[in-house]
Amino acid sequence: DQQVKQNSPSLSVQEGRISILNCDYTNSMFDYFLWYKKYPAEGPTFLISISSIKDKNEDGRFTVFLNKSAKHLSLHIVPSQPGDSAVYFCAAGISSGSARQLTFGSGTQLTVLP
Amino acid sequence: EAGVTQFPSHSVIEKGQTVTLRCDPISGHDNLYWYRRVMGKEIKFLLHFVKESKQDESGMPNNRFLAERTGGTYSTLKVQPAELEDSGVYFCASSQSEKQYFGPGTRLTVT
């Protein structure tokens, strides 16, 4: 059973508009969340993260929102650029204890149309 | 600063053969992870080293997979004997905190 879910396998957005990528999780033990971007034939690249003590984190064009009660997070990209076209993975982790692996969603392919 | 590197980038082997993947983490990172992505699905955890010790190997599929990290620097992941279902992209990541840095991956194809 997947603990981190990205229900939209793909998303197309016009250049300059907002891209919103969604992620849901089921494990209430997760206390930090990350978004990674992946281009073909490359490894995932860290984009932005958020701790469970916050509900928003912003870095330039990228903002991550966390709704703990709904176990939902989203990544907003404003404005979207063609270079943002990539697969975006949501990941979650538990900071306490010895288990430090990340649990990933299946990814969302974002296509930004010029 | 050099990132995480992995070798080889691609490997094509026949069922029953042995393959060894290598990962060089970012210098100074004590934590090293192996993950696998199969058939374009989610990236799944395989195991976690802290320095040379296996901290968590709960994601290893079976005993055909053997990971080592002698000396706490680079790590190897051996698959012996390889099966068709082992095909996928194997990623290595390293970290000193919650943020993990990934290598480019090794694409393994078992025919």
Side-chain angles (χ1 to χ4, degrees):
Chain A
D1 183 38
Q2 271 191 281
Q3 297 186 57
V4 177
K5 293 182 182 179
Q6 294 176 256
N7 292 317
S8 299
S10 63
L11 173 69
S12 290
V13 169
Q14 208 67 38
E15 180 179 6
R17 299 290 191 100
I18 184 171
S19 295
I20 299 176
L21 297 103
N22 294 302
C23 178
D24 297 290
Y25 62 96
T26 58
N27 189 343
S28 57
M29 295 292 291
F30 290 141
D31 59 2
Y32 66 96
F33 305 86
L34 309 91
W35 284 93
Y36 283 84
K37 179 170 73 173
K38 185 184 176 308
Y39 293 117
E42 293 184 10
T45 302
F46 172 77
L47 200 54
I48 192 170
S49 64
I50 188 167
S51 163
S52 61
I53 61 173
K54 294 186 175 183
D55 55 19
K56 176 182 174 181
N57 188 26
E58 191 172 351
D59 183 2
R61 296 186 297 113
F62 303 92
T63 303
V64 55
F65 295 93
L66 175 62
N67 182 334
K68 282 198 303 182
S69 60
K71 293 190 176 68
H72 176 85
L73 64 157
S74 60
L75 174 67
H76 293 211
I77 306 173
V78 182
S80 302
Q81 299 173 354
D84 295 330
S85 297
V87 178
Y88 288 77
F89 288 97
C90 169
I94 301 170
S95 61
S96 60
S98 59
R100 296 300 179 95
Q101 71 268 29
L102 295 176
T103 301
F104 283 84
S106 52
T108 297
Q109 171 70 58
L110 173 65
T111 303
V112 180
L113 305 168
Chain B
E1 179 184 278
V4 178
T5 58
Q6 293 186 245
F7 182 83
S9 57
H10 293 85
S11 180
V12 181
I13 61 171
E14 293 183 353
K15 176 182 172 181
Q17 289 186 320
T18 298
V19 63
T20 300
L21 315 180
R22 173 171 170 143
C23 168
D24 287 79
I26 293 172
S27 177
H29 281 192
D30 290 338
N31 295 287
L32 187 149
Y33 305 82
W34 283 97
Y35 292 86
R36 178 173 72 171
R37 189 182 189 206
V38 175
M39 294 291 290
K41 295 187 178 178
E42 73 268 24
I43 300 167
K44 284 196 170 181
F45 167 77
L46 296 178
L47 87 157
H48 170 207
F49 284 99
V50 177
K51 296 184 181 179
E52 68 275 10
S53 300
K54 289 178 187 174
Q55 182 71 27
D56 181 356
E57 51 185 332
S58 61
M60 294 287 260
N62 50 62
N63 59 11
R64 295 185 294 102
F65 290 75
L66 175 64
E68 294 180 327
R69 192 183 182 195
T70 308
T73 54
Y74 72 92
S75 173
T76 57
L77 179 65
K78 181 192 288 188
V79 185
Q80 179 183 30
E83 298 290 343
L84 298 178
E85 64 265 24
D86 301 333
S87 295
V89 182
Y90 289 77
F91 292 106
C92 174
S94 72
S95 76
Q96 280 293 67
S97 65
E98 286 83 10
K99 188 193 302 183
Q100 295 183 20
Y101 297 86
F102 282 76
T106 294
R107 179 172 294 278
L108 175 64
T109 303
V110 183
T111 62

PDB file of all heavy atoms in Angstrom, chain A residues 60-77:
ATOM      1  N   GLY A  60      11.659  31.435  -4.003  1.00  0.00           N
ATOM      2  CA  GLY A  60      11.555  31.976  -5.360  1.00  0.00           C
ATOM      3  C   GLY A  60      10.200  31.676  -5.974  1.00  0.00           C
ATOM      4  O   GLY A  60       9.161  31.995  -5.408  1.00  0.00           O
ATOM      5  N   ARG A  61      10.218  31.023  -7.133  1.00  0.00           N
ATOM      6  CA  ARG A  61       8.962  30.707  -7.824  1.00  0.00           C
ATOM      7  C   ARG A  61       8.241  29.502  -7.232  1.00  0.00           C
ATOM      8  O   ARG A  61       7.127  29.186  -7.652  1.00  0.00           O
ATOM      9  CB  ARG A  61       9.262  30.428  -9.304  1.00  0.00           C
ATOM     10  CG  ARG A  61       9.826  31.615 -10.072  1.00  0.00           C
ATOM     11  CD  ARG A  61       9.957  31.313 -11.562  1.00  0.00           C
ATOM     12  NE  ARG A  61      10.889  30.233 -11.843  1.00  0.00           N
ATOM     13  CZ  ARG A  61      10.535  29.050 -12.345  1.00  0.00           C
ATOM     14  NH1 ARG A  61       9.277  28.789 -12.635  1.00  0.00           N
ATOM     15  NH2 ARG A  61      11.450  28.140 -12.586  1.00  0.00           N
ATOM     16  N   PHE A  62       8.873  28.821  -6.283  1.00  0.00           N
ATOM     17  CA  PHE A  62       8.333  27.571  -5.741  1.00  0.00           C
ATOM     18  C   PHE A  62       7.814  27.766  -4.315  1.00  0.00           C
ATOM     19  O   PHE A  62       8.503  28.324  -3.466  1.00  0.00           O
ATOM     20  CB  PHE A  62       9.417  26.486  -5.741  1.00  0.00           C
ATOM     21  CG  PHE A  62       9.997  26.233  -7.108  1.00  0.00           C
ATOM     22  CD1 PHE A  62      11.122  26.913  -7.545  1.00  0.00           C
ATOM     23  CD2 PHE A  62       9.392  25.323  -7.969  1.00  0.00           C
ATOM     24  CE1 PHE A  62      11.653  26.686  -8.809  1.00  0.00           C
ATOM     25  CE2 PHE A  62       9.915  25.092  -9.238  1.00  0.00           C
ATOM     26  CZ  PHE A  62      11.042  25.773  -9.649  1.00  0.00           C
ATOM     27  N   THR A  63       6.602  27.296  -4.086  1.00  0.00           N
ATOM     28  CA  THR A  63       5.997  27.344  -2.762  1.00  0.00           C
ATOM     29  C   THR A  63       5.387  25.987  -2.463  1.00  0.00           C
ATOM     30  O   THR A  63       4.678  25.431  -3.312  1.00  0.00           O
ATOM     31  CB  THR A  63       4.905  28.419  -2.675  1.00  0.00           C
ATOM     32  OG1 THR A  63       5.456  29.699  -3.015  1.00  0.00           O
ATOM     33  CG2 THR A  63       4.346  28.494  -1.246  1.00  0.00           C
ATOM     34  N   VAL A  64       5.665  25.467  -1.279  1.00  0.00           N
ATOM     35  CA  VAL A  64       5.045  24.212  -0.856  1.00  0.00           C
ATOM     36  C   VAL A  64       4.092  24.524   0.292  1.00  0.00           C
ATOM     37  O   VAL A  64       4.420  25.270   1.211  1.00  0.00           O
ATOM     38  CB  VAL A  64       6.096  23.146  -0.461  1.00  0.00           C
ATOM     39  CG1 VAL A  64       7.036  23.648   0.600  1.00  0.00           C
ATOM     40  CG2 VAL A  64       5.413  21.864  -0.024  1.00  0.00           C
ATOM     41  N   PHE A  65       2.890  23.960   0.189  1.00  0.00           N
ATOM     42  CA  PHE A  65       1.859  24.110   1.218  1.00  0.00           C
ATOM     43  C   PHE A  65       1.613  22.751   1.850  1.00  0.00           C
ATOM     44  O   PHE A  65       1.526  21.745   1.146  1.00  0.00           O
ATOM     45  CB  PHE A  65       0.554  24.625   0.595  1.00  0.00           C
ATOM     46  CG  PHE A  65       0.663  26.013   0.034  1.00  0.00           C
ATOM     47  CD1 PHE A  65       0.992  26.200  -1.310  1.00  0.00           C
ATOM     48  CD2 PHE A  65       0.422  27.130   0.825  1.00  0.00           C
ATOM     49  CE1 PHE A  65       1.077  27.479  -1.844  1.00  0.00           C
ATOM     50  CE2 PHE A  65       0.507  28.406   0.299  1.00  0.00           C
ATOM     51  CZ  PHE A  65       0.844  28.591  -1.040  1.00  0.00           C
ATOM     52  N   LEU A  66       1.477  22.746   3.174  1.00  0.00           N
ATOM     53  CA  LEU A  66       1.204  21.505   3.892  1.00  0.00           C
ATOM     54  C   LEU A  66      -0.070  21.645   4.700  1.00  0.00           C
ATOM     55  O   LEU A  66      -0.209  22.577   5.497  1.00  0.00           O
ATOM     56  CB  LEU A  66       2.370  21.158   4.824  1.00  0.00           C
ATOM     57  CG  LEU A  66       2.191  19.950   5.730  1.00  0.00           C
ATOM     58  CD1 LEU A  66       2.009  18.678   4.904  1.00  0.00           C
ATOM     59  CD2 LEU A  66       3.372  19.803   6.688  1.00  0.00           C
ATOM     60  N   ASN A  67      -0.994  20.717   4.516  1.00  0.00           N
ATOM     61  CA  ASN A  67      -2.220  20.647   5.290  1.00  0.00           C
ATOM     62  C   ASN A  67      -2.190  19.337   6.053  1.00  0.00           C
ATOM     63  O   ASN A  67      -2.540  18.280   5.519  1.00  0.00           O
ATOM     64  CB  ASN A  67      -3.438  20.715   4.356  1.00  0.00           C
ATOM     65  CG  ASN A  67      -4.754  20.701   5.109  1.00  0.00           C
ATOM     66  OD1 ASN A  67      -4.857  20.178   6.224  1.00  0.00           O
ATOM     67  ND2 ASN A  67      -5.766  21.263   4.508  1.00  0.00           N
ATOM     68  N   LYS A  68      -1.749  19.403   7.305  1.00  0.00           N
ATOM     69  CA  LYS A  68      -1.561  18.168   8.073  1.00  0.00           C
ATOM     70  C   LYS A  68      -2.869  17.454   8.378  1.00  0.00           C
ATOM     71  O   LYS A  68      -2.922  16.232   8.388  1.00  0.00           O
ATOM     72  CB  LYS A  68      -0.832  18.484   9.381  1.00  0.00           C
ATOM     73  CG  LYS A  68       0.648  18.687   9.217  1.00  0.00           C
ATOM     74  CD  LYS A  68       1.395  18.561  10.530  1.00  0.00           C
ATOM     75  CE  LYS A  68       0.874  19.530  11.550  1.00  0.00           C
ATOM     76  NZ  LYS A  68       1.607  19.465  12.830  1.00  0.00           N
ATOM     77  N   SER A  69      -3.908  18.208   8.635  1.00  0.00           N
ATOM     78  CA  SER A  69      -5.183  17.563   8.979  1.00  0.00           C
ATOM     79  C   SER A  69      -5.710  16.760   7.796  1.00  0.00           C
ATOM     80  O   SER A  69      -6.328  15.711   7.966  1.00  0.00           O
ATOM     81  CB  SER A  69      -6.211  18.600   9.418  1.00  0.00           C
ATOM     82  OG  SER A  69      -6.448  19.525   8.392  1.00  0.00           O
ATOM     83  N   ALA A  70      -5.442  17.247   6.583  1.00  0.00           N
ATOM     84  CA  ALA A  70      -5.889  16.538   5.385  1.00  0.00           C
ATOM     85  C   ALA A  70      -4.825  15.589   4.860  1.00  0.00           C
ATOM     86  O   ALA A  70      -5.064  14.856   3.891  1.00  0.00           O
ATOM     87  CB  ALA A  70      -6.269  17.535   4.298  1.00  0.00           C
ATOM     88  N   LYS A  71      -3.639  15.596   5.473  1.00  0.00           N
ATOM     89  CA  LYS A  71      -2.501  14.801   5.007  1.00  0.00           C
ATOM     90  C   LYS A  71      -2.274  15.071   3.516  1.00  0.00           C
ATOM     91  O   LYS A  71      -2.217  14.141   2.688  1.00  0.00           O
ATOM     92  CB  LYS A  71      -2.706  13.322   5.270  1.00  0.00           C
ATOM     93  CG  LYS A  71      -2.718  12.945   6.757  1.00  0.00           C
ATOM     94  CD  LYS A  71      -2.670  11.434   6.927  1.00  0.00           C
ATOM     95  CE  LYS A  71      -2.573  11.020   8.384  1.00  0.00           C
ATOM     96  NZ  LYS A  71      -3.788  11.323   9.142  1.00  0.00           N
ATOM     97  N   HIS A  72      -2.137  16.341   3.211  1.00  0.00           N
ATOM     98  CA  HIS A  72      -2.028  16.759   1.816  1.00  0.00           C
ATOM     99  C   HIS A  72      -0.983  17.855   1.699  1.00  0.00           C
ATOM    100  O   HIS A  72      -0.908  18.748   2.546  1.00  0.00           O
ATOM    101  CB  HIS A  72      -3.389  17.287   1.329  1.00  0.00           C
ATOM    102  CG  HIS A  72      -3.358  17.822  -0.062  1.00  0.00           C
ATOM    103  ND1 HIS A  72      -3.496  17.024  -1.173  1.00  0.00           N
ATOM    104  CD2 HIS A  72      -3.192  19.093  -0.530  1.00  0.00           C
ATOM    105  CE1 HIS A  72      -3.421  17.777  -2.260  1.00  0.00           C
ATOM    106  NE2 HIS A  72      -3.246  19.027  -1.897  1.00  0.00           N
ATOM    107  N   LEU A  73      -0.167  17.762   0.659  1.00  0.00           N
ATOM    108  CA  LEU A  73       0.717  18.880   0.354  1.00  0.00           C
ATOM    109  C   LEU A  73       0.676  19.172  -1.138  1.00  0.00           C
ATOM    110  O   LEU A  73       0.280  18.308  -1.939  1.00  0.00           O
ATOM    111  CB  LEU A  73       2.149  18.652   0.820  1.00  0.00           C
ATOM    112  CG  LEU A  73       3.015  17.545   0.251  1.00  0.00           C
ATOM    113  CD1 LEU A  73       4.475  17.922   0.461  1.00  0.00           C
ATOM    114  CD2 LEU A  73       2.752  16.233   0.956  1.00  0.00           C
ATOM    115  N   SER A  74       1.055  20.403  -1.446  1.00  0.00           N
ATOM    116  CA  SER A  74       1.038  20.808  -2.848  1.00  0.00           C
ATOM    117  C   SER A  74       2.255  21.675  -3.128  1.00  0.00           C
ATOM    118  O   SER A  74       2.793  22.342  -2.234  1.00  0.00           O
ATOM    119  CB  SER A  74      -0.257  21.544  -3.191  1.00  0.00           C
ATOM    120  OG  SER A  74      -0.393  22.706  -2.405  1.00  0.00           O
ATOM    121  N   LEU A  75       2.660  21.638  -4.378  1.00  0.00           N
ATOM    122  CA  LEU A  75       3.769  22.474  -4.861  1.00  0.00           C
ATOM    123  C   LEU A  75       3.207  23.431  -5.896  1.00  0.00           C
ATOM    124  O   LEU A  75       2.576  22.990  -6.859  1.00  0.00           O
ATOM    125  CB  LEU A  75       4.854  21.592  -5.491  1.00  0.00           C
ATOM    126  CG  LEU A  75       6.015  22.332  -6.162  1.00  0.00           C
ATOM    127  CD1 LEU A  75       6.852  23.078  -5.123  1.00  0.00           C
ATOM    128  CD2 LEU A  75       6.877  21.370  -6.958  1.00  0.00           C
ATOM    129  N   HIS A  76       3.438  24.715  -5.659  1.00  0.00           N
ATOM    130  CA  HIS A  76       2.996  25.736  -6.603  1.00  0.00           C
ATOM    131  C   HIS A  76       4.220  26.321  -7.300  1.00  0.00           C
ATOM    132  O   HIS A  76       5.200  26.694  -6.619  1.00  0.00           O
ATOM    133  CB  HIS A  76       2.235  26.862  -5.883  1.00  0.00           C
ATOM    134  CG  HIS A  76       0.929  26.415  -5.316  1.00  0.00           C
ATOM    135  ND1 HIS A  76      -0.159  27.274  -5.203  1.00  0.00           N
ATOM    136  CD2 HIS A  76       0.499  25.218  -4.853  1.00  0.00           C
ATOM    137  CE1 HIS A  76      -1.180  26.626  -4.677  1.00  0.00           C
ATOM    138  NE2 HIS A  76      -0.805  25.372  -4.455  1.00  0.00           N
ATOM    139  N   ILE A  77       4.139  26.419  -8.607  1.00  0.00           N
ATOM    140  CA  ILE A  77       5.211  27.027  -9.390  1.00  0.00           C
ATOM    141  C   ILE A  77       4.609  28.217 -10.126  1.00  0.00           C
ATOM    142  O   ILE A  77       3.694  28.051 -10.945  1.00  0.00           O
ATOM    143  CB  ILE A  77       5.806  26.032 -10.405  1.00  0.00           C
ATOM    144  CG1 ILE A  77       6.248  24.743  -9.704  1.00  0.00           C
ATOM    145  CG2 ILE A  77       7.001  26.659 -11.125  1.00  0.00           C
ATOM    146  CD1 ILE A  77       6.706  23.640 -10.674  1.00  0.00           C
TER     147      ILE A  77
END
